[in-house]
């Protein structure tokens, strides 16, 4: 299980959580919950001179950062995600005394950090609300016949922070016509066509989309034409495949 040569994790000490049963090439202990690769062969932490370190799981950013600052020796713990095809951080190995000092530092300013997180959360909430309003306004500009409540619902869904949906893509944040149209298409597909039922019946996704394409286009056309002659029209119109923004397939 060699780290990819392009991995930024090669810059420091890296410890692996193996996906398969591995034994130490030196002392033959195993199976190993954690190991280090030396010259392409697995070593246990004791044989790699890391046995005195303790594991700090990821999740607490302040504690992780301070433990790293306090520890003379530390290593990143990673595990390979087969589905995503990449290594992902699981936490750190740090000196036990360093972790204790870091915990003391975190306890000393816990209240201040809590208040800062609350302020940041309120700021993000306000930003998200403004963005969703702008997204809904863009929907209404491109599709004047779309009911206002529906436009707001589509915008809220597409623009949800951390969702990975089209509204959070670069094109979505720029309110590009293609990204906004993709969000509307996704909503129409699920709510105004039998697409979900086709999927439940075992129809392949691409075939299901082909079957309901005409229904989707009929709804979009009705919403566009509600503006009347001479009104602003999307610069990009057509099938779903023709309006996919970079980095998204338009799925909800």
């Amino acid at each position: 299980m060699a780290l990819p040569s392009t991995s930024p994790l090669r810059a420091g000490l890296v410890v692996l959580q193996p996906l398969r049963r591995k034994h130490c090439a030196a002392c033959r202990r195993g199976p190993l919950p954690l190991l280090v690769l030396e010259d392409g062969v697995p070593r246990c932490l004791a044989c790699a001179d890391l046995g005195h370190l303790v594991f700090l799981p990821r999740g607490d950013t302040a504690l992780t950062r301070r433990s790293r600052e306090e520890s003379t020796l530390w290593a990143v713990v990673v595990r390979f995600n087969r589905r995503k095809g990449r290594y992902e951080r699981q936490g750190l190995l740090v000196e036990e005394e360093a972790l204790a000092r870091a915990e003391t530092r975190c306890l000393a300013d816990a209240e201040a950090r809590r208040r800062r997180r609350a302020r940041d959360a309120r700021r993000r909430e306000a930003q998200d609300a403004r963005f969703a309003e702008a997204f809904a306004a863009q929907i209404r500009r491109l599709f004047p016949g779309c009911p206002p409540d529906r436009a707001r619902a589509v915008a809220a869904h597409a623009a949800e922070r951390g969702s990975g949906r089209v509204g959070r893509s670069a094109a979505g944040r720029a309110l590009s016509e293609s990204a906004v149209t993709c969000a509307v298409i996704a909503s129409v597909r699920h709510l105004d066509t039998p697409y979900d039922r086709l999927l439940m019946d075992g129809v392949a996704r691409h075939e299901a989309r082909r079957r309901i394409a005409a229904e989707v286009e009929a709804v979009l056309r009705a919403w566009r034409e509600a503006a009347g002659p001479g009104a602003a029209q999307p610069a990009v119109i057509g099938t779903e495949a023709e309006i996919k923004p970079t980095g998204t397939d338009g799925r909800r």
Side-chain angles (χ1 to χ4, degrees):
M1 186 192 297
L3 288 174
S5 59
T6 56
S7 173
L9 298 172
R10 296 181 69 88
L13 291 176
V14 177
V15 172
L16 304 181
Q17 284 185 350
L19 300 180
R20 298 177 180 176
R21 294 167 62 90
K22 297 286 184 178
H23 290 73
C24 178
C27 68
R28 309 309 301 168
R29 293 183 195 166
L32 301 175
L34 297 172
L35 62 87
V36 176
L37 284 178
E38 290 184 349
D39 300 322
V41 297
R43 308 272 185 183
C44 68
L45 296 187
C47 291
D49 293 332
L50 300 177
H52 63 294
L53 301 182
V54 295
F55 179 60
L56 173 62
R58 65 180 182 180
D60 189 324
T61 304
L63 183 58
T64 296
R65 173 174 52 81
R66 288 171 172 174
S67 295
R68 191 170 57 238
E69 293 169 352
E70 294 283 352
S71 191
T72 303
L73 179 65
W74 56 271
V76 178
V77 178
V78 300
R79 182 172 61 212
F80 190 73
N81 186 319
R82 287 197 180 106
R83 183 173 62 84
K84 296 181 180 179
R86 68 188 185 200
Y87 283 91
E88 295 180 335
R89 291 175 181 250
Q90 304 301 310
L92 292 180
L93 287 175
V94 296
E95 297 165 343
E96 190 169 4
E97 297 80 2
L99 177 57
R101 290 193 297 269
E103 289 172 336
T104 299
R105 290 173 59 187
C106 287
L107 286 174
D109 65 356
E111 180 59 23
R113 289 186 292 111
R114 186 195 64 78
R115 290 196 298 268
R116 184 169 62 248
R117 287 195 300 270
R119 290 195 301 270
D120 291 344
R122 289 193 296 269
R123 186 188 70 252
R124 289 191 298 269
E125 185 177 349
Q127 291 172 343
D128 290 350
R130 289 193 296 269
F131 176 60
E133 289 175 5
F135 202 96
Q138 180 74 328
I139 292 174
R140 293 283 291 149
R141 185 184 75 82
L142 299 176
F143 301 94
C146 179
D149 288 348
R150 181 71 173 274
R152 287 192 292 269
V154 172
H157 183 81
E160 182 179 348
R161 185 182 292 268
S163 65
R165 298 181 186 125
V166 65
R168 303 312 301 190
S169 67
R173 292 193 298 272
L175 298 178
S176 75
E177 293 183 0
S178 61
V180 172
T181 301
C182 275
V184 173
I185 285 176
S187 176
V188 171
R189 183 192 305 133
H190 288 284
L191 300 182
D192 301 290
T193 76
Y195 177 70
D196 291 352
R197 188 170 67 251
L198 290 173
L199 294 182
M200 289 299 296
D201 289 342
V203 178
R205 180 169 58 88
H206 294 295
E207 172 61 18
R209 291 191 178 194
R210 186 192 66 78
R211 293 187 190 181
I212 55 93
E215 296 176 63
V216 170
E217 183 56 33
V219 175
L220 298 183
R221 187 182 306 111
W223 285 356
R224 291 183 188 120
E225 294 173 352
Q233 295 291 321
V236 183
I237 56 177
T239 65
E240 295 177 67
E242 295 169 338
I243 61 174
K244 293 175 183 175
T246 302
T248 180
D249 64 359
R251 285 180 288 176
R252 285 164 64 95

